Amino acid sequence: MTFSYNHLFAFTENVFRSMGCPEADATLATESLLAADLRGVDSHGVARLIGYVRLWEAGRINPTPRVGVTYETPSTAVVDGDGGLGLVVAPKAMEVAIEKARVAGTGWVSVRNSNHFGIAGYHAMKALAHDMIGLAMTNASPLVAPTHSLDRLLGTNPIAVAIPAAEQPDFVADFATTTAANGKLEILQRKNQPAPTGWIQDKEGNVSTNPNELKDGGALQPLGGETGSHKGYCLGSVVDIFSAVLSGANYGPWVPPFVAFLQPPADPVGQGIGHFFGAMRVDAFRPADEFKAHMDNWISTFRNARAVPGQQVLIPGDPERESSAKRLLDGIPLLDPVVKDLETVGQKFGLTL
Amino acid sequence: MTFSYNHLFAFTENVFRSMGCPEADATLATESLLAADLRGVDSHGVARLIGYVRLWEAGRINPTPRVGVTYETPSTAVVDGDGGLGLVVAPKAMEVAIEKARVAGTGWVSVRNSNHFGIAGYHAMKALAHDMIGLAMTNASPLVAPTHSLDRLLGTNPIAVAIPAAEQPDFVADFATTTAANGKLEILQRKNQPAPTGWIQDKEGNVSTNPNELKDGGALQPLGGETGSHKGYCLGSVVDIFSAVLSGANYGPWVPPFVAFLQPPADPVGQGIGHFFGAMRVDAFRPADEFKAHMDNWISTFRNARAVPGQQVLIPGDPERESSAKRLLDGIPLLDPVVKDLETVGQKFGLTL
């Protein structure tokens, strides 16, 4: 079934209002969440709305958080999310990073006491309108085994970097630091199809192609495959440390699970989950026009590279931008189980999808 | 053959002096270069000394550069390396980042008009003594094909992140954004052994295990393997843009080759090669003692994870630290071709190895 963006927006906004979010926060959360559906990252959009509602029901989301800066220097800040939706906390923290960058050239914000924030790319892209480079990362529920580990100690810990161009569309990289995001695995689970090797390991650390392996003690593997997973492990670790050890959030195996039926660890090492945001004013390095003209040249050089027959060289952000344009026009297709979940959510609050 | 660190240090320092480097710069360059040999990154140490000498003979290295800040804001700077050795330019630029961080909380420096700087990790680690997190990256000669590309548009573009701990040894990640660094491929070439799949492609973009494929139009592949190389492509691109588009260095296919027998492109888009450095004061986020105590907990949690039988979970930086300790005691083993190259260099300047 396909729904218009505006239809899903109104429904989702009403759900967040029904949870007790103030009007402005409900709008902010809806924009953050639906950015995933527009950009084709189906796993992180309204498909997760029921998950947020269940966390709220379990008392693990504060619908009226006082999000605030608890410590700062000219180019840094720590933001406490007061247990709010990451979808609300993240845009506010990114705004702090952008304000810092306006004055100091760059701004870097580490966030504690937050929850899942949707897609990293959406937050990084907030910098673009200000001729800034945006960065966003977050830690997440431990599903990933470091190289040689049997224990799951890291989340899929995504990194997003958004870089402005002039005539060319902006460069927007947004990727999990695992070979495959958990959302891609969920799709294979639904379709009951095997996963490519390099995505998952079983509980003994052996290569597995069973998409349900995580339910049996298996783990996602860090980006890099058989001879390079230590590099994905490094990246995921840096995201964890910047997001949580800098801010005072939970890290590693202490990150609270997204699913409400699993309890957070009883011995937390911090508060909630952590994010990290950065904004760098392009003209803190060279005139913005000059930078963006060279970005245009960079992008067109890469886009016009000779490609493997039948393929083309894409610029990070191309597929998501195309998806956005298409879905704003044609609507957002939702799988039946997602529609059913949304209807369940609607019933809780007396809302019709 | 094995040489003591001090012996190789004195020889290398004399070589740089003979090239016309001022005394202090020769020392700086030697420290930067030999950090690779100590840390076990044999491809980037004295094995490359002859390469630097040949670039100098070709007039492509300025032995007496005036390295200076050409633009700055409270938390950023652009440094012009004046065509000097990256081994000299990089430590000076990192010092600027650290000074910025002292005042503004963080410091970010993009460098143009430089040359290859040895290993990224060495430069990132300079932040540790100041209770700062250090970042270092550089672009490099184009040997890597973006996902689906037949053209080589990126270097192995490494990223290093160094994070201080208290009792535990520091966290030091340092990795190329390709599945394998070019140095590892050079080792297979010398041994005439096949490369694992996922490292290289042939000139038509097919999987190849021939370690000499690059000489026949092949390319290194970005980190991530068959289903994830777009992520390594994203990472390598970000390194290229931060290092060169921000600073005004050459980027993508315009990066000058390290080997002196290949000419730099005739139509440069900037000056020399580019680097990017960052320093973040830990106490710009939370008290340093608190941060480092949690880093100790992070590190010991990961190190003590259950491991695949016969393996252990390492912390980024463990193998390099062990190598350093061992080689400072037992000396640095060099392959015969490397010794021969050093003797050739010695003869040029009337120096005995």
Side-chain angles (χ1 to χ4, degrees):
Chain A
M1 282 180 77
T2 297
F3 296 84
S4 76
Y5 176 74
N6 288 344
H7 184 89
L8 282 181
F9 196 101
F11 176 79
T12 305
E13 204 177 21
N14 277 326
V15 169
F16 286 128
R17 275 190 203 141
S18 303
M19 281 167 56
C21 296
E23 197 126 335
D25 282 7
T27 306
L28 209 52
T30 304
E31 280 173 4
S32 300
L33 189 69
L34 264 66
D37 295 294
L38 279 183
R39 294 175 70 73
V41 191
D42 295 343
S43 52
H44 285 56
V46 290
R48 287 211 172 150
L49 185 57
I50 196 166
Y52 289 102
V53 170
R54 285 179 179 145
L55 281 175
W56 168 74
E57 287 175 325
R60 284 168 52 194
I61 283 179
N62 176 4
T64 55
R66 289 164 172 262
V67 180
V69 170
T70 60
Y71 188 73
E72 60 187 322
T73 72
S75 74
T76 68
V78 171
V79 163
D80 188 311
D82 195 21
L85 286 162
L87 302 165
V88 168
V89 175
K92 293 184 179 181
M94 188 66 198
E95 194 48 51
V96 175
I98 289 168
E99 282 306 316
K100 292 272 173 200
R102 246 190 264 282
V103 179
T106 67
W108 306 89
V109 176
S110 192
V111 179
R112 67 163 175 261
N113 208 359
S114 186
N115 281 285
H116 290 254
F117 73 12
I119 52 169
Y122 173 75
H123 305 299
M125 288 171 73
K126 285 290 177 70
L128 295 171
H130 308 280
D131 275 358
M132 294 181 188
I133 292 172
L135 288 98
M137 44 186 92
T138 185
N139 69 7
S141 323
L143 299 174
V144 182
T147 308
H148 302 319
S149 172
L150 299 178
D151 290 332
R152 304 198 291 218
L153 297 176
L154 290 169
T156 52
N157 296 7
I159 299 174
V161 184
I163 305 176
E167 306 297 322
Q168 293 284 344
D170 304 317
F171 173 108
V172 183
D174 180 4
F175 55 92
T177 53
T178 44
T179 305
N182 194 35
K184 291 206 178 159
L185 200 61
E186 286 168 9
I187 292 169
L188 295 181
Q189 287 165 5
R190 273 182 225 119
K191 295 185 180 168
N192 211 14
Q193 286 176 352
T197 58
W199 287 29
I200 38 182
Q201 65 183 42
D202 69 14
K203 64 183 169 193
E204 284 158 351
N206 302 311
V207 173
S208 169
T209 59
N210 173 5
N212 295 302
E213 201 67 79
L214 268 68
K215 290 167 192 156
D216 195 29
L220 286 170
Q221 293 188 315
L223 177 65
E226 242 176 295
T227 57
S229 81
H230 58 291
K231 300 185 180 189
Y233 163 36
C234 285
L235 281 169
S237 301
V238 168
V239 171
D240 194 35
I241 294 165
F242 284 15
S243 300
V245 185
L246 275 179
S247 65
N250 289 293
Y251 47 80
W254 288 278
V255 179
F258 179 70
V259 288
F261 63 85
L262 290 178
Q263 287 306 305
D267 56 344
V269 294
Q271 293 178 284
I273 78 169
H275 318 307
F276 187 77
F277 301 101
M280 299 199 286
R281 240 173 54 212
V282 160
D283 68 1
F285 295 91
R286 72 193 295 188
D289 288 353
E290 214 177 280
F291 175 86
K292 293 196 289 182
H294 278 286
M295 275 308 296
D296 278 359
N297 185 39
W298 192 101
I299 289 170
S300 60
T301 301
F302 279 64
R303 187 171 277 133
N304 295 326
R306 291 179 308 129
V308 173
Q311 298 282 3
Q312 62 182 119
V313 179
L314 300 177
I315 303 303
D318 278 353
E320 295 87 355
R321 194 182 59 256
E322 282 163 26
S323 166
S324 280
K326 185 168 160 43
R327 289 183 170 193
L328 274 174
L329 272 180
D330 301 345
I332 295 165
L334 298 180
L335 294 176
D336 286 346
V338 174
V339 174
K340 203 165 277 177
D341 280 354
L342 291 180
E343 285 168 349
T344 304
V345 167
Q347 280 157 17
K348 284 180 199 284
F349 300 115
L351 299 169
T352 313
L353 177 62
Chain B
M1 284 182 76
T2 297
F3 296 83
S4 76
Y5 177 73
N6 288 343
H7 184 90
L8 281 182
F9 197 102
F11 175 80
T12 305
E13 204 179 19
N14 277 326
V15 169
F16 286 129
R17 275 191 204 140
S18 303
M19 279 166 56
C21 296
E23 197 125 335
D25 282 6
T27 306
L28 208 54
T30 304
E31 279 173 5
S32 301
L33 188 69
L34 265 66
D37 294 294
L38 280 183
R39 293 175 70 75
V41 192
D42 295 343
S43 52
H44 285 55
V46 291
R48 286 211 173 150
L49 185 57
I50 196 166
Y52 289 102
V53 170
R54 285 178 180 147
L55 281 175
W56 167 74
E57 288 175 324
R60 284 167 52 192
I61 284 178
N62 175 5
T64 56
R66 289 163 172 262
V67 180
V69 171
T70 60
Y71 188 73
E72 60 187 322
T73 72
S75 74
T76 67
V78 171
V79 163
D80 188 313
D82 196 20
L85 286 162
L87 302 165
V88 168
V89 175
K92 293 184 178 182
M94 188 66 197
E95 195 47 54
V96 174
I98 288 168
E99 282 305 319
K100 293 272 172 197
R102 247 191 263 282
V103 179
T106 67
W108 306 88
V109 176
S110 192
V111 180
R112 68 162 175 261
N113 208 359
S114 186
N115 281 286
H116 290 253
F117 73 12
I119 52 169
Y122 173 76
H123 305 298
M125 288 171 73
K126 285 291 178 71
L128 295 171
H130 308 280
D131 275 356
M132 294 182 190
I133 292 172
L135 288 97
M137 44 186 91
T138 185
N139 69 7
S141 323
L143 298 174
V144 181
T147 308
H148 302 320
S149 171
L150 299 178
D151 290 332
R152 305 198 293 217
L153 297 177
L154 290 169
T156 52
N157 295 8
I159 298 174
V161 183
I163 305 175
E167 306 297 321
Q168 293 285 341
D170 305 316
F171 173 109
V172 183
D174 181 4
F175 54 92
T177 53
T178 44
T179 306
N182 195 35
K184 291 206 176 158
L185 201 61
E186 287 168 7
I187 292 169
L188 295 181
Q189 287 165 4
R190 273 181 225 120
K191 294 183 179 168
N192 212 12
Q193 286 175 354
T197 57
W199 289 26
I200 38 181
Q201 64 183 41
D202 69 13
K203 64 182 170 193
E204 283 157 353
N206 302 311
V207 174
S208 170
T209 59
N210 173 5
N212 295 302
E213 201 67 79
L214 268 69
K215 290 168 190 154
D216 195 28
L220 286 169
Q221 292 187 316
L223 177 65
E226 240 177 295
T227 59
S229 80
H230 57 292
K231 300 186 180 188
Y233 163 37
C234 284
L235 282 169
S237 300
V238 168
V239 172
D240 193 35
I241 293 165
F242 284 15
S243 300
V245 184
L246 274 179
S247 65
N250 289 293
Y251 47 80
W254 287 279
V255 179
F258 179 71
V259 288
F261 63 84
L262 289 178
Q263 287 306 306
D267 56 344
V269 292
Q271 293 178 284
I273 79 167
H275 318 307
F276 187 76
F277 301 101
M280 299 199 286
R281 241 173 54 212
V282 160
D283 69 2
F285 295 91
R286 72 193 293 188
D289 288 353
E290 214 177 279
F291 175 86
K292 291 196 289 182
H294 278 287
M295 274 309 297
D296 279 0
N297 186 38
W298 192 101
I299 290 169
S300 59
T301 301
F302 279 65
R303 186 171 279 133
N304 295 325
R306 290 179 308 131
V308 174
Q311 297 284 2
Q312 62 181 120
V313 179
L314 300 177
I315 304 303
D318 278 354
E320 295 85 355
R321 193 183 60 257
E322 282 162 27
S323 167
S324 281
K326 187 167 158 42
R327 289 184 170 190
L328 274 174
L329 272 180
D330 301 346
I332 294 165
L334 298 180
L335 295 175
D336 287 346
V338 174
V339 174
K340 201 165 280 177
D341 280 352
L342 290 180
E343 287 168 350
T344 304
V345 167
Q347 279 158 18
K348 284 180 199 283
F349 300 116
L351 300 169
T352 313
L353 176 62

